[in-house]
Amino acid sequence: KDYTGEITQEAGAQFYRFSGKLGDLVTISMNTDSASLDPYLILMDNDLNELTFNDNASARRDARIVQFRLPKDGDYLIMATRSGIQSGTSTGSYDLALSAGEISLESGAVTVTLHWNTGANLNLYVRDPLGSTVSYSRPDAPSGGALQIDSNANCQTPSIQPVEHIFFSGASPIPGDYRIWVW
C-alpha cells in the first residue's frame, strides 16, 4: 500500500493501521522530497506498545523499517512523524509505502547483494568504473547505480534478515572494474 501525507506544525504525526499475522515480514518506508522534513517512523502494536522505529535510514534522511517480523496476529499502527516528534520543527509532505513479505531485489547489468545474520549495521559500497561510489551515504550514481536496501541503519531497527543491495540499471554494464567492499 502507498499513502501520501503532510507533517505540519499543527499535525506533527499521521497514523496508519494495518492487519498482520504472526511471522509476517513488513517493510515500511517514509520518503520525502522536502528539504524541510526529517521523517521518523514508529511501528506499534494495537496496544500502542512501540515495537521498532527508524530515523535517517540513509543520507537522504528518509525513514525505513526493513523486513520487521510481526510478533503476533492483529492490528498494528504506523506513526509517520518527524525527528523530535512533538518537539520537532520540521514540516513537509511525504510518501509512505507498506509492503509485506521478503523484498524483491532489483536486477540490473551489475548487481551486488550482501546478506548477514546479526543486528550489526554493515555497509555495502560499490565503486563503478567512472569513479562514483554507491552506498548508504550516496544512494545514487550518474552511471545508473542505486542502493535499493540499507538494512540495520545505525543499528536502530535490526532486521531478522538484513540485506544490502546495489544494482546498476541498463541492459549492459559500463566496461571496467567495479570495486566492492563492506564496512
Side-chain angles (χ1 to χ4, degrees), residues 60-113:
R60 293 185 198 155
R61 300 188 334 175
D62 294 332
R64 188 177 313 116
I65 296 169
V66 179
Q67 297 190 131
F68 181 82
R69 189 170 302 278
L70 298 179
K72 61 184 178 181
D73 291 355
D75 288 341
Y76 291 87
L77 289 172
I78 300 167
M79 176 193 251
T81 186
R82 59 185 168 212
S83 185
I85 308 174
Q86 292 177 338
S87 64
T89 59
S90 67
T91 60
S93 60
Y94 64 87
D95 295 315
L96 184 99
L98 168 65
S99 62
E102 287 193 46
I103 295 172
S104 177
L105 302 178
E106 295 285 337
S107 60
V110 174
T111 62
V112 181
T113 306

Side-chain angles (χ1 to χ4, degrees), residues 113-166:
T113 306
L114 171 66
H115 294 274
W116 67 102
N117 61 4
T118 70
N121 178 18
L122 299 182
N123 292 299
L124 177 64
Y125 296 82
V126 178
R127 180 170 293 139
D128 65 30
L130 303 177
S132 294
T133 301
V134 179
S135 70
Y136 77 95
S137 62
R138 185 174 175 179
D140 300 299
S143 62
L147 174 69
Q148 180 187 3
I149 303 172
D150 177 24
S151 291
N152 297 358
N154 299 321
C155 300
Q156 289 181 348
T157 55
S159 171
I160 194 161
Q161 296 174 322
V163 61
E164 299 223 351
H165 181 73
I166 295 173

Side-chain angles (χ1 to χ4, degrees), residues 4 31-32 51 65 125 161 170 174:
T4 59
N31 304 314
T32 185
L51 301 174
I65 296 169
Y125 296 82
Q161 296 174 322
I174 296 173

